[in-house]
Amino acid sequence: MGSAELRAELERFLQNLNIEAVSVEHPEVFTVEEMMPHVEHLSGAITKNLFLKDKKKKGLWLVSVRHDRQVNLNDLAKKLGVGSGNLRFADEAAMLEKLKVGQGCATALALFCDKDKSVKFILDSDLANGGHERVYFHPMTNAATMGLKPDDLLKFLRETGHEPVLHNFD
């Protein structure tokens, strides 16, 4: 299933939950820096998303943070109880298998594809509780950006079976 079909499936999933999303189309981008000129006019928080694996237990983690945050993998690993130095970037094959998206497309919105709920989700607490009008993610393609109200994002996550682990990245 290609990104257009997956995006349509995501949009149906959101509609069924009565979640209103706003989307901005833009050229395909692979980094937050490439994306920013296309989305800086939006009101809310732009995210960056990291797909990680736990070296020892082979667990998978998706981390969504505000785009301007630094993520120290050693500190995060300690807080998650996997031990310093044990979080690594997962390979693209694992992301394609679990989330149905490839490099440059990691997104919390892909969690509806993780049917066996094997990906643990870490959410920057600022995205949930920071008073943002909307939080923005790729909608299964890196040629668009989609914004949801924070409460709707949490509703979406719960509906997919991915209760977020809130983490303060200050």
Side-chain angles (χ1 to χ4, degrees):
M1 193 179 303
S3 64
E5 294 92 351
L6 284 168
R7 181 177 178 181
E9 191 178 326
L10 169 65
E11 288 169 348
R12 282 190 299 277
F13 190 89
L14 294 170
Q15 284 170 349
N16 289 339
L17 296 175
N18 294 314
I19 292 176
E20 177 219 340
V22 297
S23 295
V24 175
E25 309 300 316
H26 51 69
E28 194 173 46
V29 294
F30 290 92
T31 65
V32 169
E33 292 75 24
E34 286 178 62
M35 183 175 65
M36 287 312 292
H38 307 290
V39 297
E40 60 193 1
H41 66 283
L42 298 171
S43 177
I46 307 299
T47 62
K48 68 179 171 186
N49 299 273
L50 310 173
F51 191 61
L52 307 171
K53 68 178 177 182
D54 165 356
K55 184 171 87 171
K56 290 188 176 168
K57 296 181 185 142
K58 305 288 187 260
L60 295 170
W61 305 81
L62 180 64
V63 180
S64 293
V65 299
R66 220 174 58 203
H67 80 280
D68 56 356
R69 301 269 199 205
Q70 293 296 317
V71 177
N72 181 313
L73 294 184
N74 285 333
D75 290 349
L76 184 59
K78 280 185 221 164
K79 287 183 177 150
L80 297 176
V82 297
S84 181
N86 286 326
L87 276 182
R88 306 253 187 289
F89 285 95
D91 59 27
E92 187 175 34
M95 192 161 60
L96 284 165
E97 178 190 339
K98 295 297 180 183
L99 301 180
K100 310 288 185 247
V101 292
Q103 199 133 14
C105 287
T107 173
L109 299 178
L111 287 168
F112 85 102
C113 294
D114 180 34
K115 304 295 187 205
D116 65 0
K117 298 169 189 54
S118 58
V119 178
K120 296 175 195 78
F121 183 58
I122 311 302
L123 182 65
D124 183 343
S125 57
D126 179 76
L127 296 174
N129 305 317
H132 301 290
E133 185 179 325
R134 292 189 182 271
V135 288
Y136 292 89
F137 300 89
H138 287 315
M140 308 306 289
T141 171
N142 57 352
T145 299
M146 178 180 277
L148 280 67
K149 293 175 183 165
D151 286 347
D152 283 342
L153 172 64
L154 295 174
K155 178 181 180 180
F156 166 82
L157 293 167
R158 289 185 185 111
E159 196 64 30
T160 67
H162 293 84
E163 186 68 34
V165 175
L166 296 181
H167 181 73
N168 185 339
F169 286 89
D170 283 338

